[in-house]
Amino acid sequence: MLVLFVGARDLPMVDLPDHAAQLAIWTHLGNPEYHGDQFVLNFRTPYLLAYLVARLLASAFGVMIALKLVVWLASIGQVLGLHFLCKRLNHDPWLALLGFPLALGYSFLFGFVSYIVALPLLYLCVGLAVTYAERPSLVGGTLLTAALATVLLCHGVAFAQALMFVGPLLIFGKGSMGSRLLPL
């Protein structure tokens, strides 16, 4: 899959050129030759993580390869996130292979890069919430809080979806209501 992603001239993602343009502007920010001095970075948005990773990779691989690598890593993350969730819920871990068609579905075709990056983290949040609801602990709560904050750093809608899954698990979990809701 990595060879196909990197080797293909274009991925069938509608928004990918827009993401590439934004990343190219960021790489040349402040350079008047690229009109980068006409733009300002906005870190007050819940769509940052994909761009931060892509920006780091763009220095070494270029803008398009960096974005393709981010999408590929998120696709692998879908499988790993589903594997973690399946194991946590005592389901067949082979169900995690459904992460590949999920990763290459609707969000992929429209080029929702930030959402694609957020989904593996959403699965991680649900798995961590299941563990925390059964046995609240400081370490478990810290991990869940960090995972939720990272989802928020990726995508606002994915964060809302994570709360829709995690909230009921914590409300009806074990322990006191205060300790259960602490990660939120």
Side-chain angles (χ1 to χ4, degrees):
M1 197 165 104
L2 177 62
V3 171
L4 290 174
F5 271 39
V6 174
R9 182 177 169 270
D10 297 313
L11 293 178
M13 301 175 77
V14 174
D15 283 353
L16 194 62
D18 295 330
H19 294 295
Q22 290 176 6
L23 188 58
I25 289 167
W26 191 8
T27 60
H28 299 291
L29 197 64
N31 186 343
E33 186 176 318
Y34 291 94
H35 303 286
D37 56 340
Q38 298 176 7
F39 298 93
V40 177
L41 282 178
N42 178 10
F43 289 113
R44 295 177 312 272
T45 176
Y47 303 101
L48 291 176
L49 188 60
Y51 283 111
L52 292 173
V53 174
R55 176 64 179 95
L56 291 172
L57 293 172
S59 300
F61 301 106
V63 169
M64 283 307 293
I65 298 294
L67 284 169
K68 290 177 181 182
L69 286 172
V70 166
V71 172
W72 176 76
L73 288 168
S75 300
I76 299 304
Q78 285 259 19
V79 174
L80 296 174
L82 279 174
H83 185 266
F84 173 74
L85 185 57
C86 286
K87 286 181 70 173
R88 194 55 217 109
L89 296 174
N90 296 318
H91 291 303
D92 187 352
W94 285 97
L95 288 172
L97 291 177
L98 291 173
F100 286 118
L102 286 171
L104 301 175
Y106 179 83
S107 296
F108 176 82
L109 293 175
F110 278 91
F112 300 153
V113 174
S114 295
Y115 187 75
I116 294 168
V117 170
L119 283 181
L121 297 166
L122 190 147
Y123 303 141
L124 176 66
C125 285
V126 175
L128 291 172
V130 168
T131 302
Y132 187 78
E134 291 173 356
R135 290 180 315 276
S137 69
L138 182 60
V139 172
T142 304
L143 288 173
L144 179 55
T145 302
L148 285 168
T150 307
V151 171
L152 180 59
L153 187 63
C154 287
H155 201 279
V157 173
F159 179 70
Q161 290 172 326
L163 291 179
M164 287 182 350
F165 290 112
V166 169
L169 285 169
L170 298 183
I171 288 171
F172 299 109
K174 296 179 180 171
S176 70
M177 182 66 81
S179 67
R180 289 194 318 258
L181 297 181
L182 196 57
L184 298 178

